[in-house]
Amino acid sequence: EAGVAQSPRYKIIEKRQSVAFWCNPISGHATLYWYQQILGQGPKLLIQFQNNGVVDDSQLPKDRFSAERLKGVDSTLKIQPAKLEDSAVYLCASSFTTDDNEQFFGPGTRLTVL
Amino acid sequence: AQRVTQPEKLLSVFKGAPVELKCNYSYSGSPELFWYVQYSRQRLQLLLRHISRESIKGFTADLNKGETSFHLKKPFAQEEDSAMYYCALKSPSNTGKLIFGQGTTLQVKP
């Protein structure tokens, strides 16, 4: 089966600019996760969708980050405006349901904010 | 608050030596714990989960509730085991959210 797809793979922007990341989960997976992984740290959940509804966005910096999954399939994560501390790898993952014990991860998008 | 701690950033062993990657967690209930692995230039992927009590690629991990630990072990390390290993705790909030540790790089030398 095709895995989780993400684009772009790399992005370099200047602070205060905007950026968007795209994720297409595994077909049939209802649950989609966006994680932020800062260098030297483990992934941290930013937002979780169940179909097109938000399940958990408690750690999403909502003043600058937004995400949507309008049709319950692919998703977009946006940062506007970016700060230096947003430099990280943004990982998308999906699972069949929230009860599923395995999350499948995409290759990630490496963001550098200058 | 739930937390996962992996005290070692880097663990370096020789091929054939035993390996133990440490993981400690803080959670008062019945935890669900996982080990995820990321090989060089590959995606993060599930290695094993404690509820399955399985051995994958020779690795095992036993949940010790008394010590709140879930250490990953392998009796004889292979060079292909070199990777980044993350311990993760499933949030008790029923959302499926994973709380990851900082990760440990395992380097197996020939």
Side-chain angles (χ1 to χ4, degrees), chain B residues 4 8 17 26 28 33 36-38 43 51 72 78 84 87 93 95 104:
Chain B
V4 176
E8 302 143 327
S26 61
S28 56
L33 287 150
Y36 276 76
V37 61
Q38 187 166 25
R43 303 173 183 212
I51 58 172
L72 183 68
Q78 302 299 314
M84 189 73 169
C87 182
S93 63
T95 63
T104 298

Side-chain angles (χ1 to χ4, degrees), chain B residues 3 5 23-29 31 33 62-71:
Chain B
R3 185 164 52 240
T5 302
C23 171
N24 290 92
Y25 66 90
S26 61
Y27 174 56
S28 56
L33 287 150
D62 289 320
L63 176 61
N64 185 322
K65 290 186 179 180
E67 296 184 357
T68 60
S69 68
F70 187 56
H71 302 330

Side-chain angles (χ1 to χ4, degrees), chain B residues 93-109:
Chain B
S93 63
N94 293 324
T95 63
K97 166 183 170 180
L98 290 176
I99 300 164
F100 285 88
Q102 305 95 312
T104 298
T105 300
L106 174 63
Q107 183 183 75
V108 182
K109 296 177 286 190

Side-chain angles (χ1 to χ4, degrees), chain B residues 14-68:
Chain B
F14 285 101
K15 176 183 172 182
V19 169
E20 182 179 69
L21 296 161
K22 290 182 167 46
C23 171
N24 290 92
Y25 66 90
S26 61
Y27 174 56
S28 56
S30 293
E32 287 188 60
L33 287 150
F34 306 83
W35 278 98
Y36 276 76
V37 61
Q38 187 166 25
Y39 300 101
S40 179
R41 289 184 289 278
Q42 293 188 28
R43 303 173 183 212
L44 192 59
Q45 59 187 283
L46 178 66
L47 179 62
L48 57 78
R49 66 202 87 181
H50 91 272
I51 58 172
S52 301
R53 300 188 63 82
E54 58 201 342
S55 173
I56 302 293
K57 300 184 178 183
F59 284 97
T60 58
D62 289 320
L63 176 61
N64 185 322
K65 290 186 179 180
E67 296 184 357
T68 60

Side-chain angles (χ1 to χ4, degrees), chain A residues 12-59:
Chain A
I12 300 174
I13 62 173
E14 295 192 349
K15 60 182 178 183
R16 291 189 289 272
Q17 285 187 322
S18 303
V19 65
F21 312 128
W22 175 82
C23 171
N24 194 28
I26 292 173
S27 178
H29 280 193
T31 309
L32 185 148
Y33 310 81
W34 282 103
Y35 289 88
Q36 179 192 57
Q37 185 172 21
I38 292 172
L39 186 65
Q41 300 181 20
K44 181 186 82 173
L45 182 74
L46 291 176
I47 188 166
Q48 176 184 340
F49 292 93
Q50 177 71 11
N51 296 310
N52 61 350
V54 175
V55 173
D56 186 334
D57 63 357
S58 57
Q59 297 193 87

